Amino acid sequence: MGNELRQSWFQALGGLPEKTPLEARIVERVEEEKYIREKVWYWSEPHEGVSAYVLIPKKGTAPFPAVVCLHQHNGEFHIGKSEPVGLAGNPDMAYARELAEQGYVTIVPDFKGFEDRRDGVLEGGRFEHYLASRAWVEGKTLQLRHVWDMIRTLDYLQERPEVDAGRIGCIGHSLGGQETFFLMASDERVKAGVVNCGVASVQSFFDYKVTHNWSWYVPGYLTLGDTPGLVGLIAPRPLYIIAGLSDPIFPVPGVQAIIDRAVELYRGFGREEAFRATLFDGGHHFPAVNREQAYEWIRRWV
């Protein structure tokens, strides 16, 4: 059933491309106190490159466990990967830096439309709209672009000699949390994940008149079981969902539907301990107390 559902998911996205050589290169290397920061570049597809930061701990012995750290949206298309490494934006979003300081290799790719992957003509949300519209008429989706770029990021990460290829986790807030969920549903190489303020059922978006980034809208998504249905592609791998009770863009009933399905599935696998959910008294953010709980989860499972 899981394989059939995953194939239906890939088909809904528009079908996965064939893998081509990454031809990765390091374009910048900076020595920080506790880690080395590299700016890297690699091909996702022909004519589609990905820019990312990689942080490598100075303390400890390679190979290190690794975490894919995915940036938020927040309408801040000029930031992207620089926020999780602590070079720009909200300090509460610097989870790639904080995890590197704790001994993980971390990688933060730019999503298409952000920072180094912006367009020279269309700006911000107009370019995102263009990307989604063009993908749809080609029989694809913007979500396919994100998923494939992350799969190729895993390919690149596993090539790094500093990385223990069998110990890779993923974490993200908002868009980054959303894409953590979809990457785990798409690629079993991610051993554990943390989704912060990043998922709810799409039906709840419609019920509560909430609009979202364009990559949420995948043809036939509801027929696949909506977001709760895709938990079946993640279980029984460790998954931690954190959500704010007053988050205006992720309705609590839509989050609870995912939690209920996850509890059922993980219990069925006899792996109740591998799923955790925290509904905190707050909105759409990632405060220090939540980040420490997230890091504890990663330490336990990655």
Side-chain angles (χ1 to χ4, degrees):
M1 178 63 181
N3 288 337
E4 291 179 9
L5 178 58
R6 185 167 285 114
Q7 289 309 309
S8 296
W9 164 239
F10 290 158
Q11 185 176 4
L13 291 176
L16 299 188
E18 296 218 0
K19 290 188 177 181
T20 54
L22 290 166
E23 298 181 359
R25 64 178 184 265
I26 298 169
V27 297
E28 178 184 82
R29 196 168 193 269
V30 177
E31 294 267 350
E32 297 287 0
E33 181 181 355
K34 296 182 179 180
Y35 56 83
I36 297 167
R37 184 181 71 247
E38 293 181 349
K39 187 175 182 180
V40 302
W41 184 95
Y42 46 91
W43 289 113
S44 178
E45 290 184 87
H47 313 297
E48 188 63 65
V50 176
S51 181
Y53 279 123
V54 177
L55 305 186
I56 306 160
K58 286 185 173 180
K59 186 177 180 179
T61 304
F64 299 100
V67 184
V68 179
C69 299
L70 300 174
H71 67 76
Q72 69 166 335
H73 191 297
N74 203 32
E76 296 177 321
F77 296 94
H78 62 291
I79 297 179
K81 66 185 179 303
S82 288
E83 190 166 46
V85 300
L87 294 177
N90 184 348
D92 280 344
M93 298 298 146
Y95 34 88
R97 184 195 67 207
E98 292 175 342
L99 283 165
E101 292 173 345
Q102 295 180 31
Y104 295 87
V105 171
T106 58
I107 186 168
V108 192
D110 278 331
F111 287 118
K112 183 69 174 179
F114 290 83
E115 200 164 319
D116 290 344
R117 302 182 70 191
R118 288 175 289 167
D119 185 58
V121 177
L122 296 176
E123 296 183 1
R126 293 179 63 212
F127 185 47
E128 186 178 37
H129 190 176
Y130 165 86
L131 291 169
S133 302
R134 180 169 180 174
W136 287 331
V137 299
E138 293 174 344
K140 302 177 182 179
T141 58
L142 181 56
Q143 186 56 245
L144 173 62
R145 174 77 277 141
H146 294 340
V147 164
W148 187 246
D149 290 345
M150 290 184 294
I151 288 173
R152 298 299 279 155
T153 295
L154 289 175
D155 292 341
Y156 171 71
L157 195 58
Q158 290 191 313
E159 288 187 357
R160 297 280 312 217
E162 308 93 343
V163 171
D164 182 340
R167 297 176 64 194
I168 297 176
C170 191
I171 187 172
H173 167 75
S174 196
L175 172 63
Q178 164 191 324
E179 297 308 321
T180 294
F181 183 89
F182 289 135
L183 177 58
M184 290 191 73
S186 302
D187 198 315
E188 294 183 345
R189 290 178 292 177
V190 179
K191 301 305 181 185
V194 178
V195 174
N196 187 78
C197 295
V199 289
S201 68
V202 169
Q203 185 60 55
S204 73
F205 301 161
F206 299 146
D207 292 344
Y208 288 85
K209 303 296 191 296
V210 175
T211 58
H212 263 281
N213 69 81
W214 293 97
S215 60
W216 264 110
Y217 306 109
V218 174
Y221 189 73
L222 298 184
T223 69
L224 296 175
D226 203 337
T227 316
L230 293 189
V231 177
L233 298 179
I234 299 175
R237 284 172 291 144
L239 173 65
Y240 183 18
I241 292 177
I242 306 171
L245 289 170
S246 56
D247 189 330
I249 62 174
F250 288 105
V252 171
V255 178
Q256 191 63 52
I258 300 169
I259 294 171
D260 292 345
R261 179 58 175 155
V263 168
E264 177 186 10
L265 284 170
Y266 282 80
R267 182 183 296 128
F269 279 108
R271 294 288 309 280
E272 292 97 329
E273 76 283 0
F275 176 74
R276 183 180 180 188
T278 296
L279 298 178
F280 68 95
D281 186 14
H284 191 72
H285 53 271
F286 203 178
V289 62
N290 290 2
R291 296 200 308 281
E292 185 47 49
Q293 290 173 340
Y295 302 157
E296 178 185 355
W297 186 259
I298 289 171
R299 285 193 294 269
R300 179 179 180 183
W301 297 108
V302 178

